[in-house]
Amino acid sequence: MAKTKIRIKDIAEQAGVSVGTVDRVLHNRGEVAIETKKKILEIAKANNYQPNLIARALTSKKVCVFAALLPNPTEEDIFWIKPLNGISEAALELEQFHIKVEKHFFTHYNEEDFVKQTKNILKLKPAGVVFPPIFKKESLEFIEKLEKRGIPYVFLESRIKDCNYLAYVGSDSNHAGRVAANVVDNSTPIDGDILIINLAKNLENVHHLKKRTQGFLNYFMEHGRNKGLKINIEIPTSKSQIITEKVDHILSTHKNIKAIFITGSKVYKIAEYLIKNKLEDIVLVGFDPIEQNIKYLNRGTIKYLIGQHPYQQGFKAVKKLFEHVMLHNSVKKDEVLPVNIINRESFKLYGLEISIDQ
């Protein structure tokens, strides 16, 4: 027969004290005589007393504020709507526990705006923070300040391993780059050149794109079948005119490019260029089944997209903070989500999966 779970009332009767005294001891509130406190704790330990933390969180009147910091989900950076939706849904579920998630946004690939928003978050004094460490240098500065204040933080989209983060939810950027490399390798002539485009300025500081690029190149150095050149360029803006100038120059000097790999989600920008210049025989691969990319995937201009469950990243990141801060549960430090290879035939199924998740 299962052992009856002991209650605070039972501990009070065994210790010969009031329920209020036991509550003060177990929840570390108020002054209690040392001997009485020792006796209560011994009884609780002997009976394996476990406080009902969920009930306590439900009855608590104190509002717990988390902060989320994300790139502004503009039409050009629509990818970030997905993790934002996940964060919002988790916040809605946790409202009953008096959880509030304050959302802060910075201009994508703008380090100064990122730093500005981190300062606003520190003024807020949140109980926890969720953010993607897109800029390594600025993220490390933010992390140092969070750790000094004892504020736990959860990464999404990418992670910086050499710091004391509470948890990470997302794909492995290096592995995602290797998956993309495998797809390109099997879709490109063995002697064809491959162009890698990073639509970002200062790639060295853009953590996840740098890791994807490294993974992509490492795959070919280790066991890729393709023996062509791997040409790596940065385009610091997604403006069509600048993209045209940069890609025109590369294609005029490298006549054997048979595939293009985009390390981020703005694959549609290159698809538009290929269509305009009648170069749709080039294999185009990149990240994320956002609406603009799906349009060109369906047309066949984009051959493959790598999906990484952004909605789940946002949703699970907030839930991990709640588990740690409110329920004092241990959480899995690295929850690495699988990546999906999406083609013209499978994107509708993936879209159905997204609608179910949301």
Side-chain angles (χ1 to χ4, degrees):
M1 184 178 290
K3 188 176 180 180
T4 303
K5 185 176 180 181
I6 194 169
R7 303 166 298 173
I8 288 181
K9 181 181 177 181
D10 302 321
I11 297 173
E13 288 177 356
Q14 290 185 39
V17 298
S18 69
V19 169
T21 299
V22 175
D23 183 76
R24 287 197 296 277
V25 171
L26 295 179
H27 299 142
N28 198 27
R29 293 195 292 260
E31 294 294 326
V32 177
I34 293 174
E35 286 301 318
T36 302
K37 184 176 182 179
K38 182 180 177 183
K39 187 176 182 180
I40 290 169
L41 292 175
E42 285 176 351
I43 294 169
K45 183 178 180 181
N47 289 276
N48 195 29
Y49 171 75
Q50 296 292 330
N52 190 337
L53 295 173
I54 292 179
R56 189 193 304 174
L58 280 168
T59 57
S60 172
K61 299 299 182 184
K62 184 179 179 181
V63 175
C64 179
V65 178
F66 297 147
L69 177 59
L70 296 173
N72 195 21
T74 62
E75 186 175 348
E76 279 213 344
D77 285 310
I78 200 170
F79 166 83
W80 291 102
I81 288 178
K82 302 296 183 183
L84 176 60
N85 287 346
I87 288 169
S88 298
E89 184 64 27
L92 189 63
E93 283 193 15
L94 297 173
E95 268 186 347
Q96 61 182 319
F97 299 102
H98 306 286
I99 300 293
K100 183 179 181 182
V101 180
E102 293 276 357
K103 303 177 187 76
H104 298 254
F105 302 97
F106 63 94
T107 304
H108 206 184
Y109 301 127
N110 185 317
E111 292 95 330
E112 290 181 2
D113 198 26
F114 176 85
V115 171
K116 178 182 176 181
Q117 296 306 320
T118 64
K119 291 177 179 178
N120 291 336
I121 288 173
L122 291 170
K123 289 177 184 176
L124 182 66
K125 297 180 181 178
V129 178
V130 171
F131 77 105
I134 291 174
F135 310 113
K136 186 170 184 180
K137 177 178 174 290
E138 288 75 14
S139 292
L140 285 171
E141 291 171 356
F142 183 38
I143 286 163
E144 183 181 2
K145 293 169 184 174
L146 290 173
E147 291 183 354
K148 280 184 179 179
R149 291 163 172 79
I151 300 173
Y153 53 95
V154 176
F155 292 142
L156 52 78
E157 175 66 3
S158 64
R159 59 186 157 173
I160 300 174
K161 291 187 177 181
D162 50 345
C163 57
N164 191 31
Y165 59 94
L166 172 67
Y168 166 66
V169 185
S171 62
D172 182 305
S173 296
N174 189 282
H175 174 70
R178 295 180 70 92
V179 170
N182 179 262
V183 169
V184 170
D185 195 25
N186 288 305
S187 308
T188 308
I190 193 168
D191 59 348
D193 296 341
I194 298 170
L195 175 62
I196 304 159
I197 298 179
N198 287 282
L199 285 169
K201 63 179 181 179
N202 190 12
L203 179 61
E204 283 300 308
N205 199 35
V206 182
H207 189 61
H208 63 300
L209 299 189
K210 180 183 176 183
K211 288 290 185 182
R212 288 176 187 171
T213 303
Q214 288 173 344
F216 188 88
L217 293 172
N218 286 343
Y219 171 90
F220 286 104
M221 286 190 288
E222 292 169 13
H223 51 242
R225 57 180 282 279
N226 178 273
K227 305 303 178 186
L229 295 174
K230 310 300 179 294
I231 305 150
N232 189 7
I233 67 168
E234 290 179 40
I235 302 179
T237 175
S238 58
K239 292 181 179 178
S240 297
Q241 181 183 344
I242 304 300
I243 288 174
T244 297
E245 291 173 2
K246 293 281 187 179
V247 180
D248 275 351
H249 173 72
I250 290 295
L251 294 183
S252 67
T253 55
H254 296 83
K255 304 290 187 180
N256 194 38
I257 290 175
K258 303 299 182 184
I260 299 177
F261 169 52
I262 311 302
T263 59
S265 61
K266 296 178 184 177
V267 196
Y268 64 94
K269 289 286 187 178
I270 306 303
E272 290 169 353
Y273 172 90
L274 295 181
I275 292 168
K276 182 179 178 181
N277 292 277
K278 297 181 172 56
L279 295 170
E280 291 182 81
D281 57 328
I282 292 178
V283 173
L284 179 59
V285 176
F287 280 83
D288 303 317
I290 59 176
E291 184 178 344
Q292 297 100 316
N293 288 341
I294 290 293
K295 172 184 174 181
Y296 295 108
L297 183 73
N298 192 36
R299 174 174 171 143
T301 311
I302 297 174
K303 299 302 187 291
Y304 296 96
L305 292 169
I306 310 299
Q308 48 187 334
H309 305 282
Y311 173 87
Q312 291 296 333
Q313 290 186 38
F315 184 85
K316 291 186 174 186
V318 173
K319 285 295 190 75
K320 284 181 182 290
L321 275 182
F322 171 73
E323 286 280 333
H324 173 75
V325 173
M326 298 297 290
L327 303 185
H328 308 292
N329 290 338
S330 59
V331 298
K332 185 177 181 181
K333 188 174 181 70
D334 292 308
E335 187 166 350
V336 180
L337 302 178
V339 295
N340 300 98
I341 300 172
I342 306 158
N343 62 19
R344 188 177 182 177
E345 302 304 318
S346 66
F347 82 88
K348 290 182 180 178
L349 178 62
Y350 189 84
L352 177 62
E353 179 186 324
I354 291 173
S355 66
I356 290 171
D357 279 350
Q358 293 183 19

